[in-house]
Amino acid sequence: MNEDIILVIGSNGQLGSVLTRELQKVHGHDNVIASDLYVDSCFSGLFEILDATKITDIQRIVKQYSVTQIYHLAAILSAKGEEKPLSTWNLNIKMMLNVFEAARFSTVNKVFFPSSIAVFGDKALLEQTPQSACLNPATVYGISKAAGENWAQYYHTNYGLDIRSIRYPGIIGHQSMPGGGTTDYALDIYHSAVRLESYSCFLKAETKLPMIFMDDAVRATVELMKAPKENIKIRTAYNLGAMSFDPSEITAEIKQTYPDFIVDYCPDSRQLIADKWPKSIDDSEARSDWGWKPEYNLTTMTTEMIEKLKEKYNTIKLK
Ligand code: AKB
C-alpha cells in the first residue's frame, strides 16, 4: 500500500494543532510528523523540533521519514507582522521558499501553503470579492502571502511541484487560540462571554469580515489536498467563503445565550487593516473545482463554540 507520510510545520499554531489531529485520523497516527519550535506537552504523536528558516533541518526530517506531503502553516500574521515589517517579510518568505525548495529535491510530491484574505486590498471589490480581483495588500503579511501565491504557481509551472493553497478567512475554533491576527476578536469574544466577562472589541461594531468555523477550515484543507490533480485549476490560492459578520452581529448572537453580555468598542490599529479587507468572498471556483461547501453559519457556530468553551472552562475549574 502506498501510504502518505505527512510533515506539518507549525503544528502548535491555531490551525496547525487542530489540522494535525485530523491528518492523524486521515493518514494514520504514525504517518504524521508534527513539528514546531517547541514541544506542546498536550500533543500525542510523532514530533520534531523544527526551525523552518533552516532548510537543512527541513531536509533532514523529510529524508529521515521519507515525507511525501508537507503542510507549511508557520507564519507571522497580519497585526503582529506590522510591528516588525522587515523581519516578518524575511521570516515568512524564507520559511516558505525553504519548504518549496526542500520539497522540490525530495520524496515530497504535494505541499499545502496557506494564503489569506489579507492578499486583497482596497483596489479589490470588497463585497463578494472575486477570485481574480486585483491584489494590493496593505500589510506585510498580505504582501508575503501574495508573493507566496505567485511562488506556488511558479514552482508548479516550472518544476511540476503540486502546491495547493486556500485564502483563509478569519478562523474561529474552540480548540486553540490565534495569535497576532486582525480577525482574532471573533474568537476572543466567545471566551469573554463564556467566562461571564465583558469584552472590549478592537474593531468598530460595523466592521464586517469573512470568517470560517475551524471544523469547516480543516475539512476544506483536507478536501483540497485530496482532490484529483486535474481538478486543481488555480495554482495561486483558492478564495474560500463560509460566513460574514461584524462585531455587532456576533454580539447579538452571543446575547441569545448571555443576554447580559456587554461589549464596548475601542478600535486600534487593527481597524485600519480590517477596513481594507474583503467583507465577503466569492468562492465559486473552490465550489466548482473541488466541491467546497461550508457547513456552519454564525448561529450554528455560536451554539457549538459556547457549548465547547463551557465544557473547557468547567474542566479547568474542576482541576
Ligand atoms: C489574520 O487576521 O491575520 C488572519 C488571516 C485572516 O489571515 N486570521
Side-chain angles (χ1 to χ4, degrees):
M1 194 170 125
N2 238 347
E3 279 184 336
D4 272 313
I5 306 293
I6 314 294
L7 170 62
V8 182
I9 300 177
S11 63
N12 294 348
Q14 186 203 8
L15 175 62
S17 54
V18 189
L19 182 61
T20 302
R21 285 197 292 273
E22 184 60 24
L23 292 172
Q24 287 175 330
K25 283 189 210 147
V26 174
H27 295 278
H29 192 262
D30 295 336
N31 290 329
V32 178
I33 302 107
S35 71
D36 212 311
L37 291 173
Y38 61 91
V39 191
D40 174 355
S41 54
C42 300
F43 178 72
S44 136
L46 293 172
F47 184 87
E48 291 279 342
I49 299 274
L50 175 61
D51 174 356
T53 62
K54 298 189 178 117
I55 191 166
T56 47
D57 289 9
I58 305 175
Q59 286 164 331
R60 176 185 56 78
I61 296 171
V62 166
K63 198 165 169 208
Q64 184 181 334
Y65 294 91
S66 302
V67 169
T68 61
Q69 294 188 12
I70 302 181
Y71 288 70
H72 169 52
L73 306 173
I76 311 256
L77 299 187
S78 57
K80 182 114 190 87
E82 292 310 281
E83 289 167 18
K84 289 189 177 160
L86 287 185
S87 56
T88 299
W89 168 262
N90 287 335
L91 195 76
N92 285 358
I93 294 295
K94 179 136 192 85
M95 291 192 295
M96 176 204 69
L97 287 177
N98 280 349
V99 170
F100 292 178
E101 273 297 281
R104 174 153 92 98
F105 297 107
S106 71
T107 43
V108 174
N109 54 49
K110 231 187 241 182
V111 175
F112 181 75
F113 164 72
S115 186
S116 160
I117 53 164
V119 295
F120 297 113
D122 57 8
K123 288 220 163 28
L125 192 66
L126 296 185
E127 279 290 359
Q128 284 299 104
T129 305
Q131 175 68 47
S132 56
C134 166
L135 305 187
N136 68 319
T139 60
V140 71
Y141 168 67
I143 299 171
S144 70
K145 288 296 180 190
E149 289 190 5
N150 286 315
W151 274 111
Q153 179 160 263
Y154 182 92
Y155 269 73
H156 177 255
T157 310
N158 293 286
Y159 309 131
L161 188 60
D162 187 356
I163 307 179
R164 304 181 182 196
S165 181
I166 281 172
R167 290 173 179 153
Y168 289 116
I171 301 178
I172 303 163
H174 48 83
Q175 304 92 329
S176 53
M177 291 304 282
T182 304
T183 55
D184 294 6
Y185 92 86
L187 178 50
D188 298 342
I189 198 168
Y190 284 114
H191 282 266
S192 295
V194 172
R195 288 196 305 251
L196 306 179
E197 292 167 2
S198 59
Y199 181 68
S200 182
C201 185
F202 58 76
L203 297 182
K204 290 184 197 155
E206 66 281 5
T207 313
K208 187 169 131 188
L209 288 169
M211 302 280 182
I212 186 167
F213 189 47
M214 177 66 82
D215 298 34
D216 272 343
V218 165
R219 188 170 51 79
T221 312
V222 171
E223 285 177 4
L224 171 68
M225 289 297 273
K226 274 207 312 219
K229 209 170 176 175
E230 59 276 14
N231 289 23
I232 308 302
K233 309 222 173 70
I234 291 171
R235 286 295 176 174
T236 49
Y238 277 96
N239 274 10
L240 191 83
M243 62 184 98
S244 284
F245 56 79
D246 67 28
S248 76
E249 289 167 314
I250 190 172
T251 303
E253 201 62 53
I254 292 172
K255 273 174 171 268
Q256 302 279 336
T257 310
Y258 297 103
D260 298 332
F261 183 46
I262 293 170
V263 175
D264 63 20
Y265 296 94
C266 301
D268 64 17
S269 55
R270 288 168 280 193
Q271 182 66 47
L272 302 174
I273 298 177
D275 285 342
K276 295 193 174 121
W277 280 2
K279 298 179 191 313
S280 57
I281 294 289
D282 174 358
D283 61 359
S284 37
E285 268 92 341
R287 287 174 189 253
S288 62
D289 288 0
W290 45 276
W292 166 241
K293 196 166 181 280
E295 279 175 5
Y296 286 84
N297 58 31
L298 178 57
T299 305
T300 50
M301 174 176 79
T302 301
T303 307
E304 184 107 355
M305 283 297 291
I306 292 177
E307 193 188 304
K308 290 284 168 26
L309 287 179
K310 266 163 100 178
E311 280 169 25
K312 195 176 235 174
Y313 283 112
N314 281 338
T315 318
I316 294 170
K317 258 194 245 153
L318 291 175
K319 277 187 183 165

